[in-house]
Amino acid sequence: MPPPAPYVMAMTLHIAFDNSYARLPERFHTRQAPVPVRAPALLRLNTDLARQMGLDPAALGSEDGIAMLAGNLVPEGAAPLAQVYAGHQFGGFVPQLGDGRAILLGEVVTPDGTRRDIQLKGAGPTPYSRMGDGRAALGPVLREYIVSEAMHALGIPTTRALAAVTTGEDVFRITRLPGAVLTRVAASHIRVGTFQYFAARRDTEALRLLSAHAIARHYPQATGALDLLRHVIAAQSRLVAQWMGVGFIHGVMNTDNMAISGETIDYGPCAFMDGYHSRTVFSSIDAQGRYAYARQADMAIWNLAQLATTLLPLIDPDREAAIEKGTEALHAFPEIFKRDWLAVFRPKIGLADAEDGDAELIHRLLDLMEKEQADFTNTFRALAEGLPGAGLKDRAGFDAWAVDWNARLARQDGAPQARMRAANPAYIPRNHRVEAAIQAAGAGDLAPFEKLLQVLERPFDDQPDHAAYRSAPTPDQQVHQTFCGT
Ligand code: AMP
Ligand code: MG
């Protein structure tokens, strides 16, 4: 279906779209062009990412480019659509959700051969908007921009931010806020909830197509639905372990916010912890602590069990046999996660090889940190930098731990410092910095946002000129809650 009348095709934008999702049957999506906005203005273009994707930053920054990033112009070759999905939200099943404020423009195959979705978030209402306005406010757009790019720099799989534009229109979220659109880039936007949508309708044919599509895009080595499940289990285990290694709390691990690709997706009320506490929750809507820091692996396997359920008809025509195979794959998760968690945390205390007592040794340090809610990032970085007691107040407790730690280090080869520096970032997107950057941007000053992005590009480097960005928040700077990006 062609885009509606107000659109003109850009002459300067040559994007080699290849839209494999749009080629899936009509029940996978709704053709929907973005709804134009009043006055698009570019806030930021991720020129590095544009180049990596084989896109011309100059063209993206041109008038046509900005119009495209705002949804005012649909480039040639795009096949704009809203994806449909379902999902368990805080444990309750919603049989139909879908992109309520996001439009998938299409896919490009980047010069390195990987396929990437280009999606506009905040691009206007769709048939899945329910009561929402289809728009995004500036604050959440900048938050997702900062946090997703920081996540990428930390080496953790994530969707990325290609651009942020303002719309010249206001949105209403209790108060009037400036509107914005984020251009999000992802390996795909296929979610556990996408499978659930078709499973809830007993549409086995669609499940078969979706499974084949997901395998081709993300796990070409997978031999079938059961193997797809195993790959997603492995990817999610690794992802959650990596989140935990940097003190990240996703905040809304609903099944519609879990990507089959294993990328971090849907940055809403997420945050990096300052003071360490395993039950930390930031989301203003997570009163029960369902998605607390230390519960994320449990929630991942809960979601993966939902995925397994959707795949049963593809795993084996004999339902009992399918359940047995799916269950066996799920039961491997605790062991896989334990291994992934150790693979993340061992280097954080300088370990290069494996010994039986390592998990206990790491947990003893975490317990010391938790008792005084020591800053997660700074404590591990202090360990890497050899700061006495790693900056902990309980010096006696640390020294007692360090006796065993040093004995453990002595049983392996080589100095641990470089390993620890590479595993323990100095810079994370601290909430108070993110909030300050958003506040300033709202008042028209983009300098703090730009500066923060620049510092977070090199999280493992010392950057002595930017040491202030390492500081934990003072009590009055502390952010205790983050809000959904709606
Ligand atoms: P989230 O909790 O942000 O992952 O969003 C859950 C669902 O609500 C998704 O299907 C979104 O597309 C939809 N949604 C969120 N914000 C809006 C909005 N402002 N307008 C329409 N739909 C929205
Ligand atoms: Mg979502």
Side-chain angles (χ1 to χ4, degrees):
M1 207 192 293
Y7 295 93
V8 285
M9 297 301 177
M11 301 316 292
T12 54
L13 287 171
H14 300 286
I15 299 177
F17 284 103
D18 177 42
N19 307 317
S20 66
Y21 204 85
R23 291 194 286 270
L24 288 168
E26 282 187 7
R27 58 195 192 282
F28 281 72
H29 42 66
T30 298
R31 306 280 172 186
Q32 169 76 54
V35 177
V37 298
R38 198 166 63 82
L42 185 65
L43 273 180
R44 187 150 207 289
L45 180 65
N46 191 339
T47 52
D48 284 350
L49 177 58
R51 279 194 206 97
Q52 280 168 38
M53 293 176 69
L55 305 176
D56 174 13
L60 288 174
S62 71
E63 199 176 325
D64 278 353
I66 297 167
M68 177 190 92
L69 299 170
N72 284 23
L73 182 155
V74 175
E76 199 166 347
L81 58 83
Q83 290 177 315
V84 67
Y85 47 86
H88 275 92
Q89 300 192 308
F90 292 92
F93 186 61
V94 185
Q96 192 205 290
L97 291 161
D99 292 333
R101 53 159 168 174
I103 298 293
L104 178 66
L105 282 183
E107 301 155 30
V108 294
V109 178
T110 68
D112 69 2
T114 56
R115 182 176 289 275
R116 290 278 177 270
D117 275 5
I118 303 179
Q119 193 205 58
L120 303 182
K121 195 169 171 183
T126 77
Y128 315 118
S129 296
R130 293 181 293 175
M131 304 301 279
D133 59 4
R135 294 297 180 189
L138 177 65
V141 164
L142 296 185
R143 161 179 283 278
E144 176 158 346
Y145 196 119
I146 296 165
V147 182
S148 65
E149 286 303 301
M151 194 68 94
H152 171 74
L154 287 163
I156 302 177
T158 177
T159 64
R160 297 198 58 190
L162 180 62
V165 296
T166 47
T167 60
E169 295 176 2
D170 288 337
V171 296
F172 294 88
R173 302 282 184 270
I174 303 172
T175 73
R176 182 197 290 265
L177 297 167
V181 177
L182 178 79
T183 304
R184 176 161 74 176
V185 169
S188 87
H189 286 82
I190 303 166
R191 306 145 191 273
V192 170
T194 318
F195 284 85
Q196 288 182 287
Y197 174 81
F198 294 112
R201 281 156 189 77
R202 305 198 185 286
D203 187 345
T204 306
E205 182 51 30
L207 284 169
R208 207 180 301 282
L209 290 169
L210 182 60
S211 171
H213 180 90
I215 289 172
R217 277 181 88 157
H218 304 305
Y219 307 103
Q221 70 281 36
T223 54
L226 179 61
D227 208 29
L228 170 65
L229 175 64
R230 290 199 196 99
H231 278 95
V232 179
I233 288 171
Q236 287 296 334
S237 168
R238 249 190 330 267
L239 180 64
V240 172
Q242 286 184 285
W243 287 351
M244 292 184 77
V246 292
F248 179 74
I249 304 162
H250 181 283
V252 195
M253 284 178 72
N254 292 334
T255 55
D256 55 307
N257 293 336
M258 182 182 270
I260 295 299
S261 65
E263 286 181 344
T264 312
I265 194 170
D266 278 9
Y267 291 86
C270 62
F272 285 75
M273 270 192 294
D274 294 301
Y276 174 60
H277 197 293
S278 59
R279 288 196 304 280
T280 302
V281 173
F282 281 98
S283 172
S284 57
I285 54 172
D286 189 6
Q288 308 296 317
R290 180 178 171 93
Y291 298 131
Y293 171 80
R295 294 200 60 190
Q296 296 184 110
D298 289 345
M299 291 300 108
I301 188 61
W302 195 93
N303 291 349
L304 292 162
Q306 307 310 317
L307 176 64
T309 305
T310 72
L311 293 174
L312 289 177
L314 307 185
I315 289 175
D316 197 305
D318 173 357
R319 192 165 168 88
E320 289 308 311
I323 290 173
E324 200 170 309
K325 290 173 188 171
T327 304
E328 194 185 326
L330 291 168
H331 280 176
F333 183 86
E335 272 306 308
I336 295 171
F337 181 73
K338 199 167 147 191
R339 200 186 58 210
D340 289 337
W341 187 88
L342 279 165
V344 167
F345 276 84
R346 274 196 178 108
K348 290 182 77 67
I349 64 165
L351 304 183
D353 57 8
E355 276 189 20
D356 277 347
D358 291 345
E360 200 210 332
L361 187 65
I362 296 159
H363 278 296
R364 278 172 55 206
L365 176 62
L366 288 170
D367 288 346
L368 285 172
M369 290 165 60
E370 182 155 24
K371 267 197 210 113
E372 54 188 84
Q373 300 200 15
D375 188 85
F376 185 87
T377 305
N378 287 347
T379 304
F380 279 108
R381 186 71 179 187
L383 205 62
E385 292 175 350
L387 195 74
L392 291 174
K393 293 191 199 104
D394 180 3
R395 191 59 192 275
F398 178 84
D399 288 346
W401 176 80
V403 170
D404 295 330
W405 179 46
N406 285 315
R408 172 68 180 84
L409 288 174
R411 290 194 293 274
Q412 69 178 23
D413 291 335
Q417 268 73 28
R419 194 172 302 120
M420 285 196 284
R421 276 173 184 275
N424 296 324
Y427 299 94
I428 52 152
R430 290 187 181 273
N431 283 308
H432 65 294
R433 290 282 180 185
V434 174
E435 291 306 319
I438 290 171
Q439 291 293 326
D445 177 11
L446 281 172
F449 169 68
E450 289 291 341
K451 185 70 178 286
L452 184 57
L453 286 176
Q454 183 203 327
V455 171
L456 293 172
E457 268 175 23
R458 297 185 293 125
F460 298 100
D461 291 359
D462 281 328
Q463 305 189 54
D465 290 349
H466 300 137
Y469 286 79
R470 292 176 57 165
S471 302
T474 59
D476 61 306
Q477 286 175 328
Q478 248 173 53
V479 178
H480 295 287
Q481 274 195 342
T482 55
F483 295 85
C484 260
T486 49

